Amino acid sequence: MVKVNFIRDKETLSVDMPVGRTIMEAAKELDLPEIPADCGGCQACGTCHVYIDDVWCDKLKIKEDSLEQSLLEYEQGYIPGKSRLACQIQLDDSLNNVTVKLRKNELL
Ligand code: FES
């Protein structure tokens, strides 16, 4: 299992997920309203946009010129080097304890 942490303001929400699942699926497991993941993980909606915690940024760099990057660049609040689509981060043992910050969802 891989532990995934989500930071919301000063609160940390955690869940253990099997290897091979994604950070978006971890968010769904916790029923986090900040990540509606409307497209179900096919890189079409951008609603799974999260910020990678500083410690993990090097390991979770986005692929340049990828579909993910081109989608994120049009997202409000895009931060180069920190923004990722949670549905595109597949969990493996090396990501145990990975931490991402939730964005504010204006619809909440
Ligand atoms: Fe739609 Fe990630 S769930 S882009």
Side-chain angles (χ1 to χ4, degrees):
M1 298 293 267
V2 182
K3 183 178 180 184
V4 181
N5 305 301
F6 296 92
I7 297 174
R8 176 194 286 148
D9 297 322
K10 292 187 168 77
E11 178 184 25
T12 302
L13 305 142
S14 302
V15 63
D16 291 324
M17 295 294 290
V19 167
R21 305 290 291 276
T22 66
I23 290 182
M24 179 274 279
E25 290 172 305
K28 298 302 277 181
E29 192 72 24
L30 288 169
D31 207 18
L32 300 179
E34 293 91 343
I35 302 184
D38 293 334
C39 75
C42 59
Q43 292 187 86
C45 69
T47 62
C48 66
H49 180 182
V50 293
Y51 298 128
I52 305 299
D53 188 70
D54 291 343
V55 176
W56 292 91
C57 281
D58 279 348
K59 185 161 184 60
L60 292 174
K61 280 188 183 141
I62 197 167
K63 281 195 189 122
E64 284 185 36
D65 300 325
S66 61
L67 177 59
E68 179 182 2
Q69 184 173 25
S70 54
L71 182 65
L72 278 170
E73 284 173 352
Y74 291 99
E75 278 290 308
Q76 192 173 13
Y78 169 66
I79 302 176
K82 290 189 75 70
S83 290
R84 288 292 311 267
L85 295 177
C87 68
Q88 298 306 304
I89 304 172
Q90 193 169 36
L91 297 168
D92 61 34
D93 289 329
S94 74
L95 292 180
N96 190 37
N97 219 23
V98 66
T99 302
V100 301
K101 187 175 175 207
L102 295 168
R103 298 170 63 241
K104 293 249 184 290
N105 185 336
E106 290 82 30
L107 302 176
L108 298 178

